[in-house]
Amino acid sequence: MPTYNRIKAVLALKRIKNDQLAEALGVSPGAVSTWCRNFKQPSIEKLYEIARFLNVEATALLNPVSEVEE
């Protein structure tokens, strides 16, 4: 399964738990889990909310296209 986002990696780097992100965004912990495992992707709007919460650029949460295609 390709990895489309780096949400799990950035959460780990920032030492933030999934449930903390879920609470901040007003979503279920299960939603965050599916994003972190790349089973589903957040909407563009949600991606920007995640980036704001994590204090990173939205592009930092995405894998480059070349890595996804491999």
Side-chain angles (χ1 to χ4, degrees):
M1 173 186 258
T3 302
Y4 296 105
N5 73 59
R6 300 184 62 249
I7 296 170
K8 182 177 181 175
V10 176
L11 285 171
L13 286 171
K14 299 274 186 172
R15 297 187 177 168
I16 296 173
K17 296 189 183 292
N18 289 11
D19 59 342
Q20 292 172 290
L21 177 61
E23 185 176 330
L25 298 179
V27 299
S28 71
V32 174
S33 177
T34 61
W35 301 335
C36 288
R37 293 179 294 146
N38 278 281
F39 289 145
K40 291 186 178 179
Q41 300 306 313
S43 68
I44 296 296
E45 294 83 9
K46 221 33 116 177
L47 187 72
Y48 277 95
E49 288 180 44
I50 295 166
R52 266 193 301 276
F53 177 76
L54 296 175
N55 198 30
V56 298
E57 294 290 327
T59 55
L61 299 175
L62 301 173
N63 278 335
V65 172
S66 61
E67 287 183 24
V68 172
E69 292 175 349
E70 292 177 356

Short mmCIF file of all heavy atoms in Angstrom, two decimals:
data_model
loop_
_atom_site.label_atom_id
_atom_site.label_comp_id
_atom_site.label_asym_id
_atom_site.label_seq_id
_atom_site.Cartn_x
_atom_site.Cartn_y
_atom_site.Cartn_z
N MET A 1 0.84 -1.19 0.00
CA MET A 1 0.00 0.00 0.00
C MET A 1 0.89 1.25 0.00
O MET A 1 1.76 1.37 0.85
CB MET A 1 -0.91 -0.02 1.23
CG MET A 1 -1.69 1.26 1.40
SD MET A 1 -2.61 1.29 2.92
CE MET A 1 -4.20 0.91 2.30
N PRO A 2 0.67 2.17 -0.93
CA PRO A 2 1.49 3.38 -0.98
C PRO A 2 1.22 4.28 0.23
O PRO A 2 0.13 4.27 0.78
CB PRO A 2 1.07 4.07 -2.26
CG PRO A 2 0.00 3.27 -2.87
CD PRO A 2 -0.26 2.09 -2.01
N THR A 3 2.21 5.03 0.60
CA THR A 3 2.09 6.00 1.68
C THR A 3 1.93 7.38 1.06
O THR A 3 2.86 7.88 0.43
CB THR A 3 3.34 5.97 2.58
OG1 THR A 3 3.49 4.65 3.09
CG2 THR A 3 3.21 6.93 3.73
N TYR A 4 0.77 7.97 1.22
CA TYR A 4 0.48 9.27 0.62
C TYR A 4 0.77 10.43 1.54
O TYR A 4 1.07 11.52 1.09
CB TYR A 4 -0.99 9.35 0.18
CG TYR A 4 -1.32 8.37 -0.90
CD1 TYR A 4 -2.05 7.23 -0.61
CD2 TYR A 4 -0.89 8.57 -2.20
CE1 TYR A 4 -2.35 6.31 -1.60
CE2 TYR A 4 -1.19 7.66 -3.19
CZ TYR A 4 -1.93 6.53 -2.89
OH TYR A 4 -2.21 5.63 -3.86
N ASN A 5 0.66 10.21 2.84
CA ASN A 5 0.90 11.33 3.75
C ASN A 5 1.89 10.94 4.84
O ASN A 5 2.16 9.76 5.05
CB ASN A 5 -0.41 11.86 4.35
CG ASN A 5 -1.00 10.93 5.38
OD1 ASN A 5 -0.37 10.62 6.39
ND2 ASN A 5 -2.23 10.47 5.16
N ARG A 6 2.41 11.95 5.51
CA ARG A 6 3.40 11.78 6.57
C ARG A 6 2.84 12.20 7.92
O ARG A 6 3.59 12.57 8.82
CB ARG A 6 4.64 12.62 6.25
CG ARG A 6 5.33 12.26 4.96
CD ARG A 6 6.61 13.06 4.75
NE ARG A 6 7.56 12.76 5.82
CZ ARG A 6 7.92 13.62 6.77
NH1 ARG A 6 7.45 14.84 6.80
NH2 ARG A 6 8.78 13.27 7.70
N ILE A 7 1.53 12.16 8.07
CA ILE A 7 0.93 12.63 9.32
C ILE A 7 1.47 11.85 10.51
O ILE A 7 1.87 12.44 11.52
CB ILE A 7 -0.61 12.54 9.26
CG1 ILE A 7 -1.13 13.48 8.18
CG2 ILE A 7 -1.23 12.85 10.62
CD1 ILE A 7 -2.61 13.32 7.85
N LYS A 8 1.53 10.54 10.40
CA LYS A 8 2.04 9.71 11.50
C LYS A 8 3.47 10.08 11.87
O LYS A 8 3.81 10.22 13.05
CB LYS A 8 1.96 8.23 11.11
CG LYS A 8 2.42 7.28 12.19
CD LYS A 8 2.24 5.85 11.73
CE LYS A 8 2.66 4.88 12.81
NZ LYS A 8 2.38 3.49 12.42
N ALA A 9 4.32 10.28 10.86
CA ALA A 9 5.72 10.63 11.10
C ALA A 9 5.86 11.99 11.78
O ALA A 9 6.65 12.14 12.71
CB ALA A 9 6.50 10.62 9.79
N VAL A 10 5.08 12.96 11.33
CA VAL A 10 5.17 14.30 11.92
C VAL A 10 4.61 14.29 13.34
O VAL A 10 5.18 14.93 14.23
CB VAL A 10 4.46 15.34 11.03
CG1 VAL A 10 4.48 16.72 11.69
CG2 VAL A 10 5.13 15.41 9.66
N LEU A 11 3.54 13.55 13.58
CA LEU A 11 3.05 13.42 14.95
C LEU A 11 4.13 12.84 15.87
O LEU A 11 4.32 13.32 16.99
CB LEU A 11 1.80 12.52 14.99
CG LEU A 11 0.49 13.13 14.50
CD1 LEU A 11 -0.58 12.06 14.40
CD2 LEU A 11 0.04 14.25 15.41
N ALA A 12 4.82 11.83 15.39
CA ALA A 12 5.89 11.21 16.19
C ALA A 12 7.02 12.20 16.45
O ALA A 12 7.52 12.29 17.58
CB ALA A 12 6.41 9.97 15.49
N LEU A 13 7.41 12.94 15.42
CA LEU A 13 8.48 13.93 15.59
C LEU A 13 8.10 15.01 16.61
O LEU A 13 8.94 15.47 17.37
CB LEU A 13 8.81 14.60 14.26
CG LEU A 13 9.59 13.76 13.26
CD1 LEU A 13 9.66 14.47 11.91
CD2 LEU A 13 11.00 13.48 13.78
N LYS A 14 6.83 15.39 16.60
CA LYS A 14 6.35 16.44 17.51
C LYS A 14 5.92 15.87 18.87
O LYS A 14 5.53 16.63 19.75
CB LYS A 14 5.16 17.16 16.87
CG LYS A 14 5.46 17.86 15.57
CD LYS A 14 6.00 19.23 15.84
CE LYS A 14 6.16 20.00 14.53
NZ LYS A 14 6.49 21.39 14.78
N ARG A 15 5.96 14.54 18.99
CA ARG A 15 5.54 13.85 20.22
C ARG A 15 4.11 14.19 20.61
O ARG A 15 3.80 14.49 21.77
CB ARG A 15 6.51 14.13 21.35
CG ARG A 15 7.88 13.59 21.03
CD ARG A 15 8.82 13.70 22.15
NE ARG A 15 10.07 13.08 21.72
CZ ARG A 15 11.19 13.18 22.37
NH1 ARG A 15 11.24 13.86 23.48
NH2 ARG A 15 12.27 12.61 21.92
N ILE A 16 3.25 14.14 19.59
CA ILE A 16 1.83 14.40 19.79
C ILE A 16 1.07 13.10 19.50
O ILE A 16 1.35 12.42 18.52
CB ILE A 16 1.35 15.53 18.86
CG1 ILE A 16 2.07 16.83 19.23
CG2 ILE A 16 -0.16 15.69 18.93
CD1 ILE A 16 1.81 17.97 18.28
N LYS A 17 0.15 12.78 20.36
CA LYS A 17 -0.63 11.54 20.20
C LYS A 17 -1.82 11.77 19.28
O LYS A 17 -2.33 12.88 19.15
CB LYS A 17 -1.11 11.06 21.57
CG LYS A 17 0.04 10.69 22.49
CD LYS A 17 -0.47 10.01 23.72
CE LYS A 17 0.63 9.69 24.69
NZ LYS A 17 1.56 8.69 24.27
N ASN A 18 -2.25 10.68 18.65
CA ASN A 18 -3.40 10.74 17.74
C ASN A 18 -4.62 11.37 18.39
O ASN A 18 -5.32 12.16 17.78
CB ASN A 18 -3.77 9.33 17.25
CG ASN A 18 -2.78 8.74 16.30
OD1 ASN A 18 -1.69 9.26 16.10
ND2 ASN A 18 -3.15 7.63 15.69
N ASP A 19 -4.88 10.99 19.65
CA ASP A 19 -6.07 11.51 20.31
C ASP A 19 -5.99 13.01 20.57
O ASP A 19 -7.01 13.70 20.59
CB ASP A 19 -6.42 10.72 21.58
CG ASP A 19 -5.32 10.72 22.62
OD1 ASP A 19 -4.16 11.03 22.29
OD2 ASP A 19 -5.63 10.40 23.79
N GLN A 20 -4.79 13.54 20.74
CA GLN A 20 -4.63 14.98 20.91
C GLN A 20 -4.99 15.70 19.62
O GLN A 20 -5.67 16.74 19.65
CB GLN A 20 -3.20 15.33 21.30
CG GLN A 20 -2.81 14.86 22.69
CD GLN A 20 -1.33 15.08 22.93
OE1 GLN A 20 -0.49 14.41 22.34
NE2 GLN A 20 -1.02 16.02 23.79
N LEU A 21 -4.54 15.15 18.49
CA LEU A 21 -4.88 15.74 17.19
C LEU A 21 -6.38 15.64 16.95
O LEU A 21 -7.01 16.60 16.51
CB LEU A 21 -4.10 15.05 16.07
CG LEU A 21 -4.40 15.52 14.65
CD1 LEU A 21 -4.09 17.00 14.48
CD2 LEU A 21 -3.63 14.68 13.64
N ALA A 22 -6.95 14.49 17.25
CA ALA A 22 -8.39 14.28 17.04
C ALA A 22 -9.19 15.31 17.84
O ALA A 22 -10.12 15.93 17.31
CB ALA A 22 -8.77 12.86 17.46
N GLU A 23 -8.83 15.51 19.09
CA GLU A 23 -9.56 16.47 19.93
C GLU A 23 -9.42 17.88 19.38
O GLU A 23 -10.40 18.63 19.32
CB GLU A 23 -9.03 16.41 21.37
CG GLU A 23 -9.81 17.28 22.31
CD GLU A 23 -9.35 17.14 23.76
OE1 GLU A 23 -8.88 16.05 24.13
OE2 GLU A 23 -9.48 18.13 24.49
N ALA A 24 -8.22 18.25 18.96
CA ALA A 24 -7.99 19.60 18.44
C ALA A 24 -8.79 19.86 17.16
O ALA A 24 -9.23 20.99 16.92
CB ALA A 24 -6.50 19.81 18.18
N LEU A 25 -8.99 18.83 16.34
CA LEU A 25 -9.69 18.98 15.08
C LEU A 25 -11.18 18.70 15.17
O LEU A 25 -11.92 18.93 14.21
CB LEU A 25 -9.08 18.05 14.02
CG LEU A 25 -7.63 18.28 13.66
CD1 LEU A 25 -7.18 17.25 12.63
CD2 LEU A 25 -7.41 19.68 13.14
N GLY A 26 -11.61 18.15 16.30
CA GLY A 26 -13.01 17.81 16.45
C GLY A 26 -13.43 16.61 15.63
O GLY A 26 -14.54 16.54 15.13
N VAL A 27 -12.50 15.66 15.49
CA VAL A 27 -12.79 14.42 14.77
C VAL A 27 -12.55 13.24 15.71
O VAL A 27 -11.98 13.40 16.79
CB VAL A 27 -11.92 14.27 13.49
CG1 VAL A 27 -12.17 15.40 12.53
CG2 VAL A 27 -10.44 14.15 13.83
N SER A 28 -12.96 12.07 15.28
CA SER A 28 -12.77 10.90 16.13
C SER A 28 -11.32 10.42 16.06
O SER A 28 -10.64 10.64 15.05
CB SER A 28 -13.69 9.76 15.68
OG SER A 28 -13.24 9.24 14.44
N PRO A 29 -10.84 9.77 17.13
CA PRO A 29 -9.51 9.18 17.08
C PRO A 29 -9.39 8.16 15.94
O PRO A 29 -8.32 8.01 15.35
CB PRO A 29 -9.36 8.51 18.44
CG PRO A 29 -10.27 9.28 19.34
CD PRO A 29 -11.44 9.66 18.47
N GLY A 30 -10.49 7.50 15.61
CA GLY A 30 -10.48 6.54 14.51
C GLY A 30 -10.19 7.20 13.17
O GLY A 30 -9.50 6.63 12.32
N ALA A 31 -10.70 8.43 12.98
CA ALA A 31 -10.42 9.16 11.74
C ALA A 31 -8.93 9.45 11.62
O ALA A 31 -8.32 9.25 10.57
CB ALA A 31 -11.23 10.45 11.68
N VAL A 32 -8.34 9.91 12.71
CA VAL A 32 -6.90 10.20 12.70
C VAL A 32 -6.12 8.92 12.44
O VAL A 32 -5.16 8.92 11.67
CB VAL A 32 -6.46 10.87 14.03
CG1 VAL A 32 -4.95 11.02 14.08
CG2 VAL A 32 -7.14 12.22 14.20
N SER A 33 -6.54 7.84 13.03
CA SER A 33 -5.87 6.55 12.82
C SER A 33 -5.89 6.14 11.36
O SER A 33 -4.88 5.67 10.82
CB SER A 33 -6.53 5.49 13.69
OG SER A 33 -5.93 4.23 13.46
N THR A 34 -7.04 6.32 10.69
CA THR A 34 -7.11 5.93 9.28
C THR A 34 -6.22 6.81 8.42
O THR A 34 -5.66 6.34 7.44
CB THR A 34 -8.55 5.95 8.73
OG1 THR A 34 -9.09 7.26 8.82
CG2 THR A 34 -9.43 4.95 9.44
N TRP A 35 -6.05 8.08 8.79
CA TRP A 35 -5.13 8.96 8.06
C TRP A 35 -3.70 8.51 8.29
O TRP A 35 -2.91 8.45 7.36
CB TRP A 35 -5.27 10.41 8.49
CG TRP A 35 -6.62 11.02 8.32
CD1 TRP A 35 -7.58 10.66 7.41
CD2 TRP A 35 -7.16 12.10 9.06
NE1 TRP A 35 -8.68 11.46 7.55
CE2 TRP A 35 -8.46 12.36 8.55
CE3 TRP A 35 -6.69 12.89 10.10
CZ2 TRP A 35 -9.27 13.38 9.06
CZ3 TRP A 35 -7.50 13.90 10.59
CH2 TRP A 35 -8.77 14.13 10.07
N CYS A 36 -3.37 8.22 9.54
CA CYS A 36 -2.00 7.83 9.88
C CYS A 36 -1.60 6.52 9.22
O CYS A 36 -0.43 6.32 8.89
CB CYS A 36 -1.84 7.72 11.39
SG CYS A 36 -1.84 9.32 12.24
N ARG A 37 -2.55 5.64 9.04
CA ARG A 37 -2.27 4.35 8.40
C ARG A 37 -2.46 4.40 6.88
O ARG A 37 -2.29 3.41 6.19
CB ARG A 37 -3.13 3.25 9.01
CG ARG A 37 -2.74 2.99 10.48
CD ARG A 37 -3.61 1.93 11.11
NE ARG A 37 -4.98 2.43 11.21
CZ ARG A 37 -6.06 1.67 11.09
NH1 ARG A 37 -5.96 0.37 10.87
NH2 ARG A 37 -7.26 2.18 11.20
N ASN A 38 -2.82 5.59 6.37
CA ASN A 38 -3.02 5.81 4.94
C ASN A 38 -4.13 4.95 4.34
O ASN A 38 -4.11 4.64 3.16
CB ASN A 38 -1.71 5.62 4.16
CG ASN A 38 -0.86 6.85 4.22
OD1 ASN A 38 -1.09 7.81 3.49
ND2 ASN A 38 0.11 6.85 5.12
N PHE A 39 -5.12 4.59 5.15
CA PHE A 39 -6.30 3.90 4.63
C PHE A 39 -7.25 4.89 3.98
O PHE A 39 -7.95 4.57 3.04
CB PHE A 39 -7.03 3.12 5.72
CG PHE A 39 -6.27 1.91 6.19
CD1 PHE A 39 -6.33 1.51 7.51
CD2 PHE A 39 -5.50 1.15 5.32
CE1 PHE A 39 -5.64 0.39 7.95
CE2 PHE A 39 -4.81 0.03 5.76
CZ PHE A 39 -4.89 -0.35 7.07
N LYS A 40 -7.29 6.11 4.54
CA LYS A 40 -8.05 7.22 3.98
C LYS A 40 -7.20 8.47 4.11
O LYS A 40 -6.28 8.51 4.93
CB LYS A 40 -9.38 7.44 4.73
CG LYS A 40 -10.39 6.34 4.53
CD LYS A 40 -11.69 6.71 5.18
CE LYS A 40 -12.72 5.61 4.92
NZ LYS A 40 -13.99 5.92 5.55
N GLN A 41 -7.54 9.48 3.31
CA GLN A 41 -6.80 10.73 3.35
C GLN A 41 -7.72 11.85 3.84
O GLN A 41 -8.91 11.85 3.53
CB GLN A 41 -6.26 11.08 1.96
CG GLN A 41 -5.31 10.04 1.39
CD GLN A 41 -4.16 9.71 2.31
OE1 GLN A 41 -3.51 10.60 2.85
NE2 GLN A 41 -3.90 8.43 2.52
N PRO A 42 -7.16 12.79 4.61
CA PRO A 42 -7.99 13.92 5.04
C PRO A 42 -8.31 14.82 3.85
O PRO A 42 -7.57 14.84 2.86
CB PRO A 42 -7.09 14.64 6.05
CG PRO A 42 -5.70 14.27 5.65
CD PRO A 42 -5.79 12.88 5.09
N SER A 43 -9.38 15.56 3.97
CA SER A 43 -9.70 16.55 2.94
C SER A 43 -8.59 17.61 2.92
O SER A 43 -7.82 17.73 3.88
CB SER A 43 -11.05 17.21 3.24
OG SER A 43 -10.95 18.01 4.42
N ILE A 44 -8.55 18.38 1.87
CA ILE A 44 -7.56 19.46 1.78
C ILE A 44 -7.73 20.43 2.95
O ILE A 44 -6.74 20.85 3.57
CB ILE A 44 -7.68 20.22 0.44
CG1 ILE A 44 -7.36 19.30 -0.73
CG2 ILE A 44 -6.82 21.46 0.43
CD1 ILE A 44 -5.94 18.79 -0.75
N GLU A 45 -8.97 20.75 3.27
CA GLU A 45 -9.23 21.67 4.39
C GLU A 45 -8.70 21.09 5.70
O GLU A 45 -8.06 21.78 6.49
CB GLU A 45 -10.73 21.95 4.52
CG GLU A 45 -11.33 22.71 3.36
CD GLU A 45 -11.71 21.83 2.18
OE1 GLU A 45 -11.69 20.57 2.28
OE2 GLU A 45 -12.04 22.39 1.13
N LYS A 46 -8.95 19.79 5.90
CA LYS A 46 -8.49 19.14 7.13
C LYS A 46 -6.97 19.06 7.17
O LYS A 46 -6.36 19.22 8.22
CB LYS A 46 -9.10 17.74 7.20
CG LYS A 46 -9.60 17.23 8.50
CD LYS A 46 -10.18 18.18 9.45
CE LYS A 46 -11.63 17.96 9.72
NZ LYS A 46 -12.16 18.88 10.72
N LEU A 47 -6.36 18.83 6.00
CA LEU A 47 -4.90 18.78 5.92
C LEU A 47 -4.29 20.10 6.39
O LEU A 47 -3.32 20.12 7.14
CB LEU A 47 -4.46 18.46 4.49
CG LEU A 47 -2.97 18.21 4.32
CD1 LEU A 47 -2.57 16.87 4.93
CD2 LEU A 47 -2.61 18.24 2.85
N TYR A 48 -4.89 21.22 5.97
CA TYR A 48 -4.40 22.52 6.42
C TYR A 48 -4.64 22.73 7.91
O TYR A 48 -3.81 23.34 8.59
CB TYR A 48 -5.02 23.65 5.58
CG TYR A 48 -4.28 23.85 4.29
CD1 TYR A 48 -4.71 23.23 3.11
CD2 TYR A 48 -3.13 24.63 4.22
CE1 TYR A 48 -4.02 23.39 1.92
CE2 TYR A 48 -2.43 24.80 3.04
CZ TYR A 48 -2.88 24.18 1.89
OH TYR A 48 -2.19 24.34 0.72
N GLU A 49 -5.75 22.23 8.43
CA GLU A 49 -5.99 22.31 9.88
C GLU A 49 -4.94 21.50 10.64
O GLU A 49 -4.45 21.94 11.68
CB GLU A 49 -7.38 21.78 10.22
CG GLU A 49 -8.52 22.68 9.81
CD GLU A 49 -9.86 22.08 10.19
OE1 GLU A 49 -10.01 21.58 11.33
OE2 GLU A 49 -10.78 22.11 9.34
N ILE A 50 -4.63 20.32 10.13
CA ILE A 50 -3.60 19.48 10.75
C ILE A 50 -2.26 20.22 10.75
O ILE A 50 -1.56 20.27 11.76
CB ILE A 50 -3.48 18.13 10.02
CG1 ILE A 50 -4.77 17.31 10.16
CG2 ILE A 50 -2.28 17.33 10.53
CD1 ILE A 50 -4.88 16.13 9.21
N ALA A 51 -1.91 20.81 9.61
CA ALA A 51 -0.65 21.53 9.49
C ALA A 51 -0.59 22.70 10.48
O ALA A 51 0.44 22.91 11.14
CB ALA A 51 -0.46 22.04 8.06
N ARG A 52 -1.70 23.44 10.60
CA ARG A 52 -1.73 24.56 11.56
C ARG A 52 -1.52 24.05 12.98
O ARG A 52 -0.74 24.61 13.75
CB ARG A 52 -3.05 25.30 11.46
CG ARG A 52 -3.03 26.50 10.56
CD ARG A 52 -4.25 27.39 10.72
NE ARG A 52 -5.50 26.69 10.46
CZ ARG A 52 -6.03 26.51 9.26
NH1 ARG A 52 -5.42 26.95 8.20
NH2 ARG A 52 -7.17 25.87 9.13
N PHE A 53 -2.21 22.97 13.34
CA PHE A 53 -2.09 22.42 14.69
C PHE A 53 -0.66 21.96 14.97
O PHE A 53 -0.13 22.17 16.06
CB PHE A 53 -3.07 21.25 14.89
CG PHE A 53 -2.93 20.59 16.22
CD1 PHE A 53 -3.43 21.20 17.37
CD2 PHE A 53 -2.30 19.37 16.36
CE1 PHE A 53 -3.30 20.60 18.61
CE2 PHE A 53 -2.16 18.76 17.59
CZ PHE A 53 -2.67 19.38 18.72
N LEU A 54 -0.03 21.34 13.96
CA LEU A 54 1.33 20.82 14.14
C LEU A 54 2.40 21.87 13.90
O LEU A 54 3.59 21.59 14.07
CB LEU A 54 1.55 19.62 13.20
CG LEU A 54 0.67 18.41 13.47
CD1 LEU A 54 0.90 17.35 12.40
CD2 LEU A 54 0.94 17.83 14.85
N ASN A 55 1.97 23.06 13.48
CA ASN A 55 2.89 24.16 13.22
C ASN A 55 3.93 23.80 12.15
O ASN A 55 5.13 23.99 12.33
CB ASN A 55 3.57 24.63 14.51
CG ASN A 55 4.19 26.00 14.36
OD1 ASN A 55 3.70 26.83 13.59
ND2 ASN A 55 5.26 26.25 15.09
N VAL A 56 3.42 23.23 11.05
CA VAL A 56 4.26 22.88 9.90
C VAL A 56 3.55 23.34 8.63
O VAL A 56 2.35 23.62 8.65
CB VAL A 56 4.56 21.36 9.80
CG1 VAL A 56 5.32 20.87 11.02
CG2 VAL A 56 3.28 20.56 9.60
N GLU A 57 4.28 23.40 7.54
CA GLU A 57 3.67 23.67 6.24
C GLU A 57 2.87 22.43 5.82
O GLU A 57 3.28 21.30 6.13
CB GLU A 57 4.75 23.96 5.19
CG GLU A 57 5.52 25.23 5.44
CD GLU A 57 4.67 26.47 5.21
OE1 GLU A 57 3.78 26.45 4.33
OE2 GLU A 57 4.90 27.46 5.92
N ALA A 58 1.78 22.63 5.13
CA ALA A 58 0.96 21.49 4.68
C ALA A 58 1.78 20.54 3.82
O ALA A 58 1.59 19.32 3.89
CB ALA A 58 -0.26 21.99 3.92
N THR A 59 2.72 21.07 3.04
CA THR A 59 3.53 20.21 2.18
C THR A 59 4.41 19.26 3.00
O THR A 59 4.80 18.20 2.50
CB THR A 59 4.42 21.04 1.25
OG1 THR A 59 5.20 21.95 2.03
CG2 THR A 59 3.58 21.81 0.24
N ALA A 60 4.70 19.60 4.25
CA ALA A 60 5.50 18.72 5.11
C ALA A 60 4.73 17.45 5.46
O ALA A 60 5.32 16.47 5.91
CB ALA A 60 5.92 19.45 6.38
N LEU A 61 3.41 17.48 5.26
CA LEU A 61 2.57 16.32 5.59
C LEU A 61 2.36 15.40 4.40
O LEU A 61 1.70 14.37 4.53
CB LEU A 61 1.21 16.80 6.10
CG LEU A 61 1.25 17.66 7.37
CD1 LEU A 61 -0.15 18.16 7.70
CD2 LEU A 61 1.83 16.88 8.54
N LEU A 62 2.92 15.77 3.25
CA LEU A 62 2.71 14.99 2.04
C LEU A 62 4.01 14.37 1.57
O LEU A 62 5.07 14.98 1.65
CB LEU A 62 2.15 15.88 0.93
CG LEU A 62 0.83 16.57 1.24
CD1 LEU A 62 0.49 17.54 0.14
CD2 LEU A 62 -0.27 15.54 1.43
N ASN A 63 3.91 13.16 1.02
CA ASN A 63 5.07 12.54 0.40
C ASN A 63 5.21 13.06 -1.02
O ASN A 63 4.19 13.27 -1.69
CB ASN A 63 4.92 11.01 0.35
CG ASN A 63 5.30 10.37 1.66
OD1 ASN A 63 6.07 10.90 2.43
ND2 ASN A 63 4.73 9.22 1.92
N PRO A 64 6.42 13.23 -1.50
CA PRO A 64 6.60 13.63 -2.89
C PRO A 64 5.98 12.59 -3.83
O PRO A 64 5.97 11.40 -3.53
CB PRO A 64 8.11 13.68 -3.07
CG PRO A 64 8.66 13.75 -1.70
CD PRO A 64 7.66 13.08 -0.79
N VAL A 65 5.47 13.04 -4.96
CA VAL A 65 4.82 12.16 -5.92
C VAL A 65 5.76 11.03 -6.36
O VAL A 65 5.34 9.88 -6.47
CB VAL A 65 4.33 12.95 -7.14
CG1 VAL A 65 3.82 12.02 -8.23
CG2 VAL A 65 3.24 13.91 -6.72
N SER A 66 7.03 11.31 -6.54
CA SER A 66 7.97 10.28 -6.99
C SER A 66 8.05 9.12 -6.00
O SER A 66 8.19 7.98 -6.39
CB SER A 66 9.35 10.87 -7.24
OG SER A 66 9.87 11.42 -6.05
N GLU A 67 7.94 9.42 -4.70
CA GLU A 67 7.97 8.35 -3.70
C GLU A 67 6.68 7.54 -3.72
O GLU A 67 6.68 6.35 -3.50
CB GLU A 67 8.16 8.94 -2.30
CG GLU A 67 9.55 9.46 -2.03
CD GLU A 67 9.69 9.96 -0.62
OE1 GLU A 67 8.94 9.51 0.26
OE2 GLU A 67 10.58 10.80 -0.39
N VAL A 68 5.57 8.17 -4.00
CA VAL A 68 4.28 7.49 -4.02
C VAL A 68 4.20 6.53 -5.20
O VAL A 68 3.67 5.45 -5.11
CB VAL A 68 3.12 8.53 -4.07
CG1 VAL A 68 1.79 7.83 -4.28
CG2 VAL A 68 3.09 9.35 -2.80
N GLU A 69 4.76 6.93 -6.34
CA GLU A 69 4.66 6.13 -7.55
C GLU A 69 5.57 4.90 -7.53
O GLU A 69 5.35 3.98 -8.27
CB GLU A 69 5.02 6.99 -8.77
CG GLU A 69 3.97 8.06 -9.03
CD GLU A 69 4.35 8.99 -10.14
OE1 GLU A 69 5.51 8.96 -10.60
OE2 GLU A 69 3.48 9.76 -10.57
N GLU A 70 6.56 4.86 -6.66
CA GLU A 70 7.50 3.73 -6.64
C GLU A 70 6.85 2.47 -6.16
O GLU A 70 5.90 2.37 -5.54
CB GLU A 70 8.70 4.06 -5.75
CG GLU A 70 9.55 5.13 -6.36
CD GLU A 70 10.72 5.52 -5.46
OE1 GLU A 70 10.84 5.01 -4.33
OE2 GLU A 70 11.51 6.34 -5.90
#
